[in-house]
Each structure stands twice: as C-alpha cells, then as structure tokens.
Amino acid sequence: MPAVSKGDGMRGLAVFISDIRNCKSKEAEIKRINKELANIRSKFKGDKALDGYSKKKYVCKLLFIFLLGHDIDFGHMEAVNLLSSNKYTEKQIGYLFISVLVNSNSELIRLINNAIKNDLSSRNPTFMCLALHCIANVGSREMAEAFAGEIPRILVAGDTMDSVKQSAALCLLRLYKTSPDLVLMGEWTSRVVHLLNDQHMGVVTAAISLITCLSQKNPDEFKTCVSLAVSRLSRIVSSASTDLQDYTYYFVPAPWLSCKLLRLLQCYPPPEDGAVKGRLVECLETILNKAQEPPKSKKVQHSNAKNAILFEAISLIIHYDSEPNLLVRACNQLGQFLQHRETNLRYLALESMCTLASSEFSHEAVKTHIETVINALKTERDVSVRQRAADLLYAMCDRSNAKQIVAEMLSYLETADYSIREEMVLKVAILAEKYAVDYSWYVDTILNLIRIAGDYVSEEVWYRVIQIVINRDDVQGYAAKTVFEALQAPACHENMVKVGGYILGEFGNLIAGDPRSSPLVQFNLLHSKFHLCSVPTRALLLSAYIKFINLFPETKSTIQEVLRSDSQIRNSDVELQQRAVEYLKLSSIASTDVLATVLEEMPPFPERESSILAKLKKKKGPGAVSVNELEEGKREGGELNGGGERGGDSSAISTPSPSADLLGLRAGPPVTAAAPSAGSLLVDVFSEAGSGSLASYFQFVCKNNGVLFENQLLQIGIKSEYRQNLGRMYLFYGNKTSVQFVTFTTTLNVQAKPVEPLIEGGAQVQQVINIECLTDFSDAPLLNIKFRYGGALQNLTLKLPVTINKFFQPTEMASHDFFQRWKQLSLPQQEAQKIFKANHAMDTEVLKAKLLGLGMALLENVDPNPENFVCAGVIQTKAQQVGSLLRLEPNAQAQMYRLTVRSSKDTVSKRLCELLAEQF
Amino acid sequence: MRFMLLFSRQGKLRLQKWYTATAERDKKKMVRELMQVVLARKPKMCSFLEWRDLKIVYKRYASLYFCCAVEEQDNELITLEVIHRFVELLDKYFGSVCELDIIFNFEKAYFILDEFLMGGEIQDTSKKSVLKAIEQADLLQEVSLNLKHKMA
C-alpha cells in the first residue's frame, strides 16, 4: 500500500481497498463487499448521527464498490447531505458521488439542485466550480431547466473569477448539447463572442468550445467570431514559443487553442473581408512552412502537437476548397507523411488525403501517390491503416486508373481482414460499375468478386449485376458465356448460382448454339447445383427452369419430370412446392404463345441510383458496423432503394415520377417470400419505399417519435406527446430535393393548423396538431398531403399514428390487486386474446421497452411465471376512463406469444389486441 | 469527447468518465468490448481506430491504457496530447504516478480529471492552473483537518 501522498487519507477506505486487492477469488471479493455494504448500511441506519468525516468515508467506499462494477442502491441521501457541508472535501466527495451515480429520482434531483443553487450563489469560487462541474457531469434536463438561465450571467459577469468563467462556459456547453431549447443566448451573444479576446488563455480555451458549438447551430448570430478568431490565431502562430509561458506545450505555442480556433473557422465560409482573409491565408502558410522546419524537440509530444495544428489547418483548407495553391501544398505535405515512420501519421495522412481527393484542385495531385497507397494496402501491418488505404484508393479512383485500382482491391480481397471484406466488396462493385467502359470488364469483375468473396457479396451487389446485364444488350451474350464457365467450377458460391440461374434463364439462348453449352447442358449444369442451395436460391432456379421451357422447347419434358418429382411437387417448403405445382401446370396447359408472353424476357429496369451505392452510404463506421446492423438498417425503412439518400451521381436520380412512384406502397416482402405472380416471374430486384404503409403506422404504437414516411422527395417526421386525454403532434415535412415544393397543403379529417404552403429545397417545415380523445376509437385519422414538385402534382394519404394506447395512464398495483381486477373483468366480451408468431427476436429487454412504450405500467413480480409480462393502465378519454389489464406470455421454444387483454370496454380490448399483435 | 477510460493490461477498469448520458448496461457492454479491442492490438499499431460510430484514441503508459472516444470531426493527435497532459498532471500531483496511486486515490484522480476536462472539453491546458486548483482544494482540506484535530 503506497503512502497516501496528499491531503488526508481516509484510512478505512485504504484498508478496504487493500482488502479487495488481496482477495484471491471473485467470490472472496463479493463476500468482502457484501460485508462492507452491510456495515455501511447499518451505519447509515444507526441511531447515532454520523459525523461528516465518516459519512464522507462511507460514501467514498460506496463509490469505490460501484466503480468495481457492483450495483449500489443506497447512500444517495447521505451523499446529498454532504453537498451542504461547508467542508470542502466532504462537499467534493458528495458531488463526485452524485455525478457518477445520479439517477433520475426526482425527489433527489430537487435536493441536489437546491445544494447547487446555494453553492452557485456562495461567491466562493471553489464551491461555484464544484457546483458547475456537477451540473456539467449530470447534464440532465431538470438541471438545464433550473440553471440554464443563471449560468450565462455568471459567464459574462465582470467580477467572475477566471476559473469560474472557464467552468461556466463548459457547463453551459454541456447544457446546450442536451437541451438546446433551454439555453437562450440572446443578449449575451456578443459578450460571449468577445471572450475570444480575453486576456486569460484558459478562459479563451474553454469559451471557444462553447462558441464553436453555438456557431454551428446559429452561424449568423455568431459570425463576428470569425475575425476575432483569425486575429487570435495569427497572434499565436506568429508568437515565439516562449511568449505564451505555461500555454506553450513542448515548444509549440498553445496547440489546443490553435486547433480549436481552426475548428471554429470551419463552421464558416472563407472570410469575405479581404484583410481578414489575407491574414488567415498567411497563418495557414506559416503553419505549412513550420511543418518543413526542423523539430525543436525530439519528443513525440512536440511533433504531435505541431502536426495536430497542421492537420487541423489542412482540414480548414479542404473546407474552404478555394485556394488551389494551399490545397496542393497540403497534398504534398500529406504525401510526405504517407511514408513517415510513425504509424499514426501514415494513418492520418491517408485519412486526410481521402477528403483532398474529392477537391477538383487537388484530385490530380492526390493521384500521383497511387503507388505508395497501393503499397500501403499491401504492406501495412495494422488493419486500420490498410482500411484507410482502401478508402483512399476508392476516393482517388477515376476513369484513368480504375482498372488498376479495382485489380489491386480484388487481389487484396483474397487476404483482407474479415472485418472489412463486405465494405471492400461494395466498393469494388461500385467502382467497377461507375468506371466501366466496356461492360464485359464489369461482368468479369463482379463474377470475380463473387468467386473470391462470395459470402460478403450482399444482395444489392448481385441484384445490380443482373440489372445491368438486362439493361445492356451488348453484354448479355458475354455474361451468359461467363456465368456458364464460372458454374463449371466444382465448388461455386451460392451467389454465383443465383446470378447464373437468373442470367441463363434470361439469356441462355445466346450461347445455346455452341454444342458445349446446349440447352440441356445448361440445364444439367444448373440442376447439379440445385441440391446444395438454400430455399430462396432453389426458388430462383425453379423460375429459371420454367424460363428454359419457353426458351428451349426441347428441354420441356426433362424439366417437367424434375418438377413432377416428389422432392419438388411435395416439397415441405410451401414456396417451392407452389412454384413446382404452378410451373408444371403452366408448362402443360399454356400454349406456346401464352407461354412466350408470360415468360417474356425481363424488360429493362428504370435507371436509378445504384442500390449498392446507397448501401455503402448507409454504412456509418467503415469496418465497424457488423453485418447484423447493416441488415437491420435495411429492414427499418431502409427499403428505399437508394432513393433514401441521394447526392453524388445526379444522372442516376430519376426524374420525379407520377404519384404512383411517390407512394410506392408495394408491401411485397423481399425475394424469398415473393410468390410468382403473373408477368413477373423473377422478383423485382428493387424494393420500393416500404414506409408510409401500414408497417410504419404500427411502428408508432410503442413509440412517439420517428420517421412516418420517406421517399425520394419528402420525409415526414413525427414528434408527439400525450397527457391524459390530450395530445400534441408535431409533423416535420422535409424537402429532400434541391427544388421548391409549391402549393403544399395538408388536410386532415381532424382540425389542424395550416402549414407553410412552400417548402424550399432542402428545408423543413413544421406543423402542429392538437389532439383530444373524446371516446375510444379504432380508426386512425387520415392525413392528405398535396404539393407540386417541378410541374407534377404529388398526392399522398397517410394514416396518422394516433392509437388508443397513447392515452394510457400507467397504473401501478400489487400482485393481489392485479388478480382481483383481472377476475372482475371476466365477461367474455371484455377479454380479447391472440396467439401469434414472434416477428422479432424474443429479447426480454426489448419487450419491456416496447411494453413501456405502450404507455401502461409494467408490473414486476406479479405474474408467478417470471417469463410473462403483465401491465396495467387506464385509458383517458373525454367520455370515460377505460381500465385495462394485459398479459403477454412468450413461448421461446415455439417462438410464439399469447396476448390477453382485458378491459372494461370490449372495443378497447379488441383494438389493443390488434395493435399489439403487430409489435412483437 | 464522449468518454475516457483507464484500464490495466489485465483488463481491470481503473477510471471511467462519461460525458454523455449512457445507460449503465450500455456502459458495461461498451467498456468490455472496447477493452477487448484495444488490448488485442500490438504495440506498433497506430493509436487510432474506428469503433462503432466513434473514433478511439488510446495510448499505453506502463501498465495502464488511457483510452478516449471522440467524435468524427475531432483531432486525433491533439487528443493523444490530452491524454499525455492528463498523465503529466497525475504524475506531478502524485510524484511519479503508478497504477496503485490511481487505485488507492481514485477520488483524487477523478478530481484532477475534472479540473482538466469538463463535459468532455478542455477547461485549461496550463499545468499550473489545473494543479493550483487541486492544491488549493488540498489546502482547504488540511485546514479543516487541522481544525478537527484541534477540536479533538
């Protein structure tokens, strides 16, 4: 045990920590902790009043136990008591405990706020700082409500100590981040901006974080900060390293402040004032020059601080994207770093160059480093650096170097780290498509992709190759030949079978002239893979077979025989069986003409943004997002087929089409379940906007905020709140295009405030709807939206997600009461029950969250079976109150639920049951 | 900055500071995951990595890993120096700090961090100012102790 160095040691605490460290096993540790907890509990409960020191010691012990990872459910009150101690250390420990362990217990928050209020008005700077720290650490809304008005005053008051100003600035920032609506700068704005001129560097350092955040949200009000920031920066950059005394870090003057100033300037366009701009450019040049000077110290801290400023300056140069000279200099500087011995610098240089590659001024300069980057991809030992190299190759790719880059990426894929394969596959697929001059190269590349990394080729990628082959008749023969050859491999990936099945089914005739790939050979080749494939692929192959019957009448009897076999026509899978039965029937009764019409070649797909591009954009953290999350994203409103996110490639954006496209309410589930309906035998590879449909309406049963509807033009977001029988709903209409929507109107079969008739491109308008629940109801209010986009009238009708459960008041009750009421509601019509299959994973926490979202109280320890959930609540309508009880019984084995709802009104039970059955 | 963690090579968490509201459950899960990722990395690898939607900046000092999660637009190198400055502050305060100091005086380590960073932003970069604040507090503490002794 080391000697405690400063201040008073709490001996008891030190002994306890030693004990814990000496514990030989987890069990021994838990035992020791439990003993201590019992001891503390008895002390806190004891009759003898504890002195401040003991209280502090015990609270500190509790904190230690909590930080070890154990739960602490008492001691909060004692900690709050410490806050009002006038001994600094006791107060300090109290605040520490509160900031680490505060929960949203409203009783306590009020007491805590009181203590804070006292300390803030104490005029004792140390106490004030403690209080401000606590506010910043907790940062809750309640605290923002209590103090957001007071803190700006402290921040700008003339007599406030510097240290308090620093704390006040950052405290305000924290509150602004959590509750921007409560922090009103108004009259303080200009005085806050002028903190940039403060003499005390610490105050400037703290204040600039606040100013940056405020500027991002209100650029106009804070734009005077630009010239102040430039002159401050210029003073620092031109100062000798000794001028700033304690703010010089390893011979670099004020590196943190410099970085922050440069970051602040990135909130704004280049300064309009010529003098200011000249001064700034001078600063940036000085920073670039300094990078070439010999280091003043060999310490890594020196070079890190210096380079931190350099990278921030380069970010600003890229942000302005208007000074070709600076851009090229930045690029050259980064080029030097690409071969630096510090891994960190290579990493950052690759990352930063990625953004430089997108500027027209520096794109060519970046391209000159291609060999170095390819080398990095091959030789870097750290996967995160290789990832950056791959990103940069992707960014610097254009028509001139696409073949080289794609080839390098493909060869890298063979050994690439698993965590980044999927993203690499997407990138290769996109580059191959974007820069394909001849489409046979494109087809080769994608098939190689499937061969090398089949498991990582997502649906979007193979959908896309098919879409392109269908749309371009010059490549169809080549594609058929290539897939035919690829399928010869003894073990080929299932995705290859899918592509092969589809393409041969459409274009097999183009290679049928060659006896080596005659119709029967093609069929036998495909069918040899059949038994190794999953159900969706088999379904696709069956469709290919029926297409064969049309293409090659000579294969009819062979294929019919296959369809007729027990393993097809009596397949236990409904989908396969149905296809077999229907195709067999179709092939035997339809005339050649009918067959030719039904099984006609797929028409070209409409041009749109590549769905793989959309998928890549959706990937947030490259390499960090697991496949699972991606699939999640796809399911939740992600079914927008690129329409969801636009940009970049404007040629791919479809022109606003008739309202049918806007609504696009095809509810059809993707690939696997799509039954072959007349006309389109193979499933449309593009999924249309799934939102706006019933699915999204049901999404809102258990939550109040989210996106109600989204397509290529418009996004409608909802925020709503309910109290008793009243509710208020905010609708946000966002224009996703760059063109105005005019004569924008909404009509609702309930009363609504009118909405702005015009929505600018990229803008959003808001509409508020007040809701009163008069009596219970089942039907949702309908919202009709009309507007003109370009010339075309758009018309849209949506169900507003106002459901009866929104008016629930939760009711807590004990087990005994619950069952008594349950029995009271015993009339047959008062009960509604549903047994249904789980649509989502049966995760207890998720279920709990949903049930809470429903608005009822979730009652713990009521149902004898801990797996079950019971809830109670009262629906508030103007006419009456309807008490409701609910019981949900999951059966994990069968993946089924039984849901029982009883309420005093039969229609309510029924409706709740319907709504809820869609949720799990 | 979203959070800062200090953990040992054995995967024991020594200090954690969260700058955004995070549920206790998620915290535990993130700490576990992140420790695994960072501890698995080799010495010569770069100090930055992408993890979930965050950037992780970490550095090892003797047996302790200092690990910060920052936002997409934050500067990695300056964050490394935030870590270094914090280590310097601990060092100055404890007099060549070691892991045991942080274990036994965890509350002091938190106080020092609080003086240095607030809400995830740098409050003051001057070593003097930060230590002055802490030492003042210690002074206050001694005074009150002395008073206690006198009364006793």
Short mmCIF file of all heavy atoms in Angstrom, two decimals, chain A residues 462-485:
data_model
loop_
_atom_site.label_atom_id
_atom_site.label_comp_id
_atom_site.label_asym_id
_atom_site.label_seq_id
_atom_site.Cartn_x
_atom_site.Cartn_y
_atom_site.Cartn_z
N TRP A 462 -25.36 -8.51 -56.25
CA TRP A 462 -25.74 -9.40 -57.36
C TRP A 462 -27.03 -8.96 -58.04
O TRP A 462 -27.24 -9.20 -59.21
CB TRP A 462 -25.69 -10.88 -56.97
CG TRP A 462 -26.79 -11.40 -56.07
CD1 TRP A 462 -26.72 -11.56 -54.73
CD2 TRP A 462 -28.07 -11.89 -56.47
NE1 TRP A 462 -27.89 -12.09 -54.25
CE2 TRP A 462 -28.74 -12.31 -55.30
CE3 TRP A 462 -28.73 -12.00 -57.70
CZ2 TRP A 462 -30.02 -12.83 -55.32
CZ3 TRP A 462 -30.02 -12.53 -57.71
CH2 TRP A 462 -30.66 -12.93 -56.54
N TYR A 463 -27.91 -8.27 -57.31
CA TYR A 463 -29.07 -7.66 -57.97
C TYR A 463 -28.59 -6.71 -59.07
O TYR A 463 -29.13 -6.66 -60.16
CB TYR A 463 -29.88 -6.81 -57.00
CG TYR A 463 -30.69 -7.57 -55.96
CD1 TYR A 463 -31.38 -6.87 -54.98
CD2 TYR A 463 -30.77 -8.96 -55.96
CE1 TYR A 463 -32.12 -7.52 -54.02
CE2 TYR A 463 -31.51 -9.61 -55.00
CZ TYR A 463 -32.18 -8.90 -54.03
OH TYR A 463 -32.92 -9.53 -53.08
N ARG A 464 -27.58 -5.94 -58.70
CA ARG A 464 -27.14 -4.87 -59.58
C ARG A 464 -26.53 -5.42 -60.87
O ARG A 464 -26.77 -4.91 -61.95
CB ARG A 464 -26.12 -4.01 -58.82
CG ARG A 464 -25.72 -2.74 -59.52
CD ARG A 464 -26.86 -1.77 -59.61
NE ARG A 464 -26.45 -0.57 -60.35
CZ ARG A 464 -27.31 0.30 -60.85
NH1 ARG A 464 -28.61 0.11 -60.71
NH2 ARG A 464 -26.89 1.36 -61.49
N VAL A 465 -25.74 -6.48 -60.75
CA VAL A 465 -25.13 -7.02 -61.96
C VAL A 465 -26.22 -7.52 -62.90
O VAL A 465 -26.18 -7.32 -64.12
CB VAL A 465 -24.05 -8.09 -61.65
CG1 VAL A 465 -24.64 -9.34 -61.07
CG2 VAL A 465 -23.27 -8.42 -62.90
N ILE A 466 -27.24 -8.12 -62.32
CA ILE A 466 -28.33 -8.61 -63.16
C ILE A 466 -29.06 -7.44 -63.81
O ILE A 466 -29.38 -7.46 -65.01
CB ILE A 466 -29.30 -9.46 -62.31
CG1 ILE A 466 -28.64 -10.81 -62.06
CG2 ILE A 466 -30.64 -9.62 -62.99
CD1 ILE A 466 -29.34 -11.67 -61.08
N GLN A 467 -29.27 -6.42 -63.02
CA GLN A 467 -29.98 -5.26 -63.57
C GLN A 467 -29.21 -4.68 -64.76
O GLN A 467 -29.80 -4.35 -65.79
CB GLN A 467 -30.12 -4.20 -62.48
CG GLN A 467 -31.03 -3.09 -62.89
CD GLN A 467 -30.82 -1.84 -62.07
OE1 GLN A 467 -29.79 -1.67 -61.43
NE2 GLN A 467 -31.81 -0.97 -62.11
N ILE A 468 -27.92 -4.60 -64.61
CA ILE A 468 -27.13 -4.00 -65.69
C ILE A 468 -27.08 -4.90 -66.92
O ILE A 468 -27.22 -4.44 -68.05
CB ILE A 468 -25.71 -3.66 -65.17
CG1 ILE A 468 -25.83 -2.43 -64.28
CG2 ILE A 468 -24.74 -3.42 -66.31
CD1 ILE A 468 -24.56 -1.98 -63.66
N VAL A 469 -26.97 -6.19 -66.69
CA VAL A 469 -26.95 -7.12 -67.83
C VAL A 469 -28.28 -7.04 -68.60
O VAL A 469 -28.31 -7.02 -69.82
CB VAL A 469 -26.66 -8.55 -67.36
CG1 VAL A 469 -26.90 -9.54 -68.48
CG2 VAL A 469 -25.22 -8.66 -66.87
N ILE A 470 -29.36 -6.95 -67.83
CA ILE A 470 -30.66 -6.89 -68.51
C ILE A 470 -30.82 -5.59 -69.30
O ILE A 470 -31.40 -5.57 -70.37
CB ILE A 470 -31.79 -7.05 -67.47
CG1 ILE A 470 -31.84 -8.52 -67.08
CG2 ILE A 470 -33.14 -6.58 -68.00
CD1 ILE A 470 -32.82 -8.87 -66.03
N ASN A 471 -30.27 -4.52 -68.76
CA ASN A 471 -30.43 -3.24 -69.43
C ASN A 471 -29.49 -3.04 -70.63
O ASN A 471 -29.71 -2.15 -71.42
CB ASN A 471 -30.20 -2.10 -68.43
CG ASN A 471 -31.39 -1.93 -67.50
OD1 ASN A 471 -32.23 -2.81 -67.42
ND2 ASN A 471 -31.46 -0.81 -66.84
N ARG A 472 -28.45 -3.83 -70.72
CA ARG A 472 -27.48 -3.60 -71.79
C ARG A 472 -27.37 -4.83 -72.67
O ARG A 472 -26.74 -5.82 -72.29
CB ARG A 472 -26.10 -3.28 -71.21
CG ARG A 472 -26.13 -2.11 -70.22
CD ARG A 472 -24.75 -1.53 -70.10
NE ARG A 472 -24.24 -1.17 -71.43
CZ ARG A 472 -24.24 0.06 -71.90
NH1 ARG A 472 -24.70 1.05 -71.18
NH2 ARG A 472 -23.76 0.31 -73.09
N ASP A 473 -27.95 -4.75 -73.86
CA ASP A 473 -27.97 -5.99 -74.64
C ASP A 473 -26.60 -6.34 -75.23
O ASP A 473 -26.37 -7.47 -75.62
CB ASP A 473 -29.08 -5.99 -75.70
CG ASP A 473 -29.18 -4.65 -76.40
OD1 ASP A 473 -28.19 -3.90 -76.33
OD2 ASP A 473 -30.23 -4.35 -77.00
N ASP A 474 -25.67 -5.36 -75.23
CA ASP A 474 -24.36 -5.70 -75.80
C ASP A 474 -23.55 -6.63 -74.90
O ASP A 474 -22.55 -7.20 -75.34
CB ASP A 474 -23.55 -4.44 -76.09
CG ASP A 474 -23.48 -3.50 -74.89
OD1 ASP A 474 -24.38 -3.59 -74.02
OD2 ASP A 474 -22.54 -2.71 -74.80
N VAL A 475 -23.98 -6.79 -73.66
CA VAL A 475 -23.15 -7.59 -72.77
C VAL A 475 -23.82 -8.93 -72.42
O VAL A 475 -23.24 -9.79 -71.77
CB VAL A 475 -22.83 -6.78 -71.49
CG1 VAL A 475 -24.01 -6.72 -70.56
CG2 VAL A 475 -21.62 -7.36 -70.77
N GLN A 476 -25.07 -9.10 -72.91
CA GLN A 476 -25.82 -10.26 -72.46
C GLN A 476 -25.19 -11.59 -72.87
O GLN A 476 -25.10 -12.53 -72.07
CB GLN A 476 -27.27 -10.16 -72.96
CG GLN A 476 -28.02 -9.08 -72.21
CD GLN A 476 -29.26 -8.57 -72.92
OE1 GLN A 476 -29.54 -8.97 -74.06
NE2 GLN A 476 -29.99 -7.69 -72.27
N GLY A 477 -24.76 -11.67 -74.12
CA GLY A 477 -24.14 -12.91 -74.59
C GLY A 477 -22.88 -13.22 -73.79
O GLY A 477 -22.67 -14.35 -73.34
N TYR A 478 -22.07 -12.16 -73.59
CA TYR A 478 -20.83 -12.36 -72.84
C TYR A 478 -21.13 -12.83 -71.42
O TYR A 478 -20.48 -13.74 -70.90
CB TYR A 478 -20.03 -11.06 -72.82
CG TYR A 478 -18.71 -11.20 -72.11
CD1 TYR A 478 -17.62 -11.77 -72.75
CD2 TYR A 478 -18.57 -10.80 -70.78
CE1 TYR A 478 -16.41 -11.94 -72.08
CE2 TYR A 478 -17.37 -10.96 -70.11
CZ TYR A 478 -16.29 -11.53 -70.77
OH TYR A 478 -15.11 -11.69 -70.12
N ALA A 479 -22.14 -12.21 -70.82
CA ALA A 479 -22.49 -12.57 -69.46
C ALA A 479 -22.92 -14.02 -69.38
O ALA A 479 -22.50 -14.76 -68.48
CB ALA A 479 -23.59 -11.65 -68.94
N ALA A 480 -23.73 -14.44 -70.34
CA ALA A 480 -24.21 -15.82 -70.32
C ALA A 480 -23.03 -16.78 -70.43
O ALA A 480 -22.92 -17.76 -69.68
CB ALA A 480 -25.20 -16.04 -71.47
N LYS A 481 -22.11 -16.44 -71.33
CA LYS A 481 -20.95 -17.31 -71.53
C LYS A 481 -20.10 -17.36 -70.25
O LYS A 481 -19.66 -18.42 -69.81
CB LYS A 481 -20.13 -16.77 -72.70
CG LYS A 481 -18.89 -17.55 -73.03
CD LYS A 481 -18.36 -17.11 -74.41
CE LYS A 481 -16.90 -17.47 -74.60
NZ LYS A 481 -15.97 -16.61 -73.88
N THR A 482 -19.89 -16.21 -69.64
CA THR A 482 -19.02 -16.15 -68.48
C THR A 482 -19.63 -16.88 -67.28
O THR A 482 -18.93 -17.61 -66.58
CB THR A 482 -18.74 -14.69 -68.08
OG1 THR A 482 -18.65 -13.92 -69.27
CG2 THR A 482 -17.46 -14.57 -67.31
N VAL A 483 -20.93 -16.67 -67.05
CA VAL A 483 -21.50 -17.39 -65.89
C VAL A 483 -21.49 -18.88 -66.16
O VAL A 483 -21.26 -19.68 -65.25
CB VAL A 483 -22.94 -16.96 -65.52
CG1 VAL A 483 -22.95 -15.59 -64.90
CG2 VAL A 483 -23.90 -17.04 -66.67
N PHE A 484 -21.74 -19.25 -67.41
CA PHE A 484 -21.73 -20.67 -67.74
C PHE A 484 -20.37 -21.27 -67.38
O PHE A 484 -20.28 -22.33 -66.75
CB PHE A 484 -22.03 -20.87 -69.23
CG PHE A 484 -22.01 -22.31 -69.65
CD1 PHE A 484 -23.08 -23.15 -69.36
CD2 PHE A 484 -20.91 -22.83 -70.31
CE1 PHE A 484 -23.06 -24.48 -69.74
CE2 PHE A 484 -20.88 -24.17 -70.68
CZ PHE A 484 -21.95 -25.00 -70.39
N GLU A 485 -19.32 -20.56 -67.74
CA GLU A 485 -17.97 -21.05 -67.43
C GLU A 485 -17.72 -21.06 -65.92
O GLU A 485 -17.15 -22.02 -65.37
CB GLU A 485 -16.91 -20.19 -68.13
CG GLU A 485 -16.72 -20.60 -69.57
CD GLU A 485 -16.06 -19.50 -70.41
OE1 GLU A 485 -15.56 -18.52 -69.83
OE2 GLU A 485 -16.08 -19.65 -71.66
#
